[in-house]
């Protein structure tokens, strides 16, 4: 009997969580603030029933419950305490409101958590993980973003605050865009950046040092090391750090201008960190 009721209990718990989420949403964004953001982006909301604020509630609930589409989404919306509308109203409003409006809301939400104020305190720098994820669909759905063959796609570049466990900044590009330049857009001197080898261009690392931007970046295997000097002897074969040196990187045609510390990790490979 207990196993039979378990699915119903899970569904009831989810419904309670969804209702709680919708009750909390106005504490982050009032309807007047949402309307003001839309107007700043050049969108004038003339609807009376399904306003841009209601669309925001729908979108946040869709992300929370992972709605499969507009038609099924409106059926789930009523269970979460959202106003009932026809699915064509939902899809039409979604196509009408510019994407920049939602992006602005998202970044304002992150700032409202007080991260900017806490980063001004004299405390050790926190880690900011920077990476990207690619979302692909059929090429007819995003004809302006061709990817490979019959696929199209977009790429989300995310700066993730390790301490708070939430994104600090997000930028979107087409799926074929390279990660490296977006790494500089997402950089923040208040943090120590953690990035993969796609971001490790020598000129970019030089700029990070000039800007006092802390970083830890995985290096390519064929990187050229110049005048390496060992910092500490590593005697244990099982130690997580196999070797550490201070050196310059690159060939005479393209060389790292300042010294940086390079570590060899047992599992991660070669990693470089800033030093000044």
């Amino acid at each position: 009997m207990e196993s039979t009721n378990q699915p119903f209990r899970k569904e009831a718990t989810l419904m309670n969580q969804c209702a709680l989420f919708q009750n909390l949403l106005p504490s982050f964004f009032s309807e007047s603030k949402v309307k003001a953001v839309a107007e700043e982006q050049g969108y004038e909301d003339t609807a009376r029933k399904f306003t841009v604020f209601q669309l925001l509630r729908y979108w946040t609930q869709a992300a929370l419950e992972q709605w499969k589409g507009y038609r099924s989404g409106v059926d789930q919306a009523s269970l979460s305490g959202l106003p009932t509308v026809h699915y064509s109203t939902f899809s039409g409003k979604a196509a009408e409101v510019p994407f920049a409006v939602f992006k602005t809301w998202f970044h304002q939400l992150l700032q409202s958590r007080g991260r900017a104020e806490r980063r001004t305190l004299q405390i050790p720098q926190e880690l900011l993980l920077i990476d990207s994820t690619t979302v692909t669909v059929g090429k007819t759905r995003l004809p302006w973003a061709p990817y490979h063959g019959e696929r199209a796609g977009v790429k989300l570049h995310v700066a993730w605050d390790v301490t708070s466990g939430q994104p600090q900044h997000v930028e979107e590009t087409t799926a074929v865009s390279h990660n490296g330049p977006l790494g500089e857009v997402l950089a923040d001197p208040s943090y120590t950046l953690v990035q993969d080898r796609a971001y490790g261009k020598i000129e970019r690392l030089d700029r990070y040092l000039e800007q006092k931007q802390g970083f830890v970046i995985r290096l390519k295997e064929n990187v050229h090391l110049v005048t390496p000097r060992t910092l500490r002897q590593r005697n244990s074969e099982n130690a997580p750090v196999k070797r550490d040196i201070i050196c310059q990187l690159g060939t005479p045609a393209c060389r790292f201008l300042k010294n940086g510390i390079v570590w060899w990790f047992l599992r991660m490979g070669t990693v470089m960190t800033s030093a000044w």
Side-chain angles (χ1 to χ4, degrees):
M1 185 69 178
E2 184 177 354
S3 60
T4 305
N5 293 332
Q6 189 173 2
F8 297 100
R9 291 177 181 175
K10 290 183 178 180
E11 184 176 352
T13 301
L14 179 60
M15 290 175 61
N16 291 334
Q17 291 174 346
C18 294
L20 177 61
F21 177 77
Q22 288 301 328
N23 290 333
L24 290 174
L25 185 61
S27 66
F28 294 106
F29 284 113
S30 64
E31 188 163 3
S32 59
K33 183 182 293 187
V34 169
K35 185 176 181 180
V37 170
E39 291 176 350
E40 288 175 3
Q41 298 298 327
Y43 177 76
E44 182 179 358
D45 190 16
T46 58
R48 294 185 177 182
K49 182 178 180 182
F50 196 64
T51 63
V52 68
F53 178 69
Q54 298 299 342
L55 177 63
L56 174 61
R57 296 181 65 192
Y58 261 64
W59 275 140
T60 52
Q61 198 65 37
L64 181 65
E65 297 184 314
Q66 300 182 2
W67 294 354
K68 296 181 179 180
Y70 294 112
R71 192 185 295 267
S72 61
V74 295
D75 295 333
Q76 293 179 252
S78 59
L79 299 176
S80 305
L82 296 175
T84 303
V85 297
H86 193 267
Y87 77 89
S88 61
T89 303
F90 179 22
S91 61
K93 191 73 172 183
E96 181 182 310
V97 180
F99 172 74
V101 174
F102 300 106
K103 184 177 178 180
T104 302
W105 285 335
F106 179 70
H107 286 153
Q108 287 190 2
L109 175 62
L110 297 181
Q111 294 170 5
S112 70
R113 299 300 301 273
R115 297 298 306 153
E117 290 78 5
R118 289 197 293 273
R119 287 196 301 270
T120 61
L121 300 176
Q122 298 298 319
I123 58 177
Q125 286 188 330
E126 299 167 348
L127 298 181
L128 189 67
L129 309 185
I130 295 181
D131 208 345
S132 67
T133 183
T134 301
V135 182
T136 62
V137 294
K139 69 176 183 179
T140 57
R141 298 187 63 183
L142 296 176
W144 48 269
Y147 187 41
H148 292 307
E150 298 299 312
R151 307 295 292 173
V154 295
K155 183 181 290 187
L156 294 179
H157 305 263
V158 180
W160 186 268
D161 186 328
V162 175
T163 302
S164 65
Q166 67 180 20
Q168 192 257 359
H169 193 82
V170 179
E171 292 289 337
E172 74 288 344
T173 65
T174 58
V176 294
S177 298
H178 197 273
N179 288 352
L182 271 296
E184 292 190 73
V185 175
L186 298 173
D188 188 333
S190 301
Y191 290 88
T192 295
L193 307 182
V194 180
Q195 303 173 322
D196 207 347
R197 56 168 59 97
Y199 302 90
K201 190 175 181 179
I202 291 179
E203 296 92 334
R204 185 173 299 117
L205 302 185
D206 275 328
R207 286 195 290 272
Y208 283 162
L209 289 178
E210 292 174 359
Q211 300 163 3
K212 300 296 183 180
Q213 171 67 72
F215 63 85
V216 177
I217 296 181
R218 189 176 181 183
L219 297 178
K220 297 179 180 178
E221 295 181 358
N222 61 348
V223 67
H224 186 64
L225 306 180
V226 182
T227 60
R229 291 186 289 111
T230 300
L231 294 176
R232 181 179 177 184
Q233 295 293 335
R234 304 285 175 174
N235 298 323
S236 175
E237 295 183 357
N238 298 323
V241 179
K242 298 172 62 178
R243 182 187 177 196
D244 56 355
I245 63 172
I246 185 169
C247 67
Q248 288 182 303
L249 303 179
T251 62
C254 183
R255 178 165 295 174
F256 199 57
L257 299 180
K258 298 185 179 181
N259 288 336
I261 298 176
V262 178
W263 291 333
W264 277 262
F265 285 91
L266 189 60
R267 296 183 179 180
M268 293 177 58
T270 310
V271 175
M272 181 175 188
T273 183
S274 52
W276 49 73

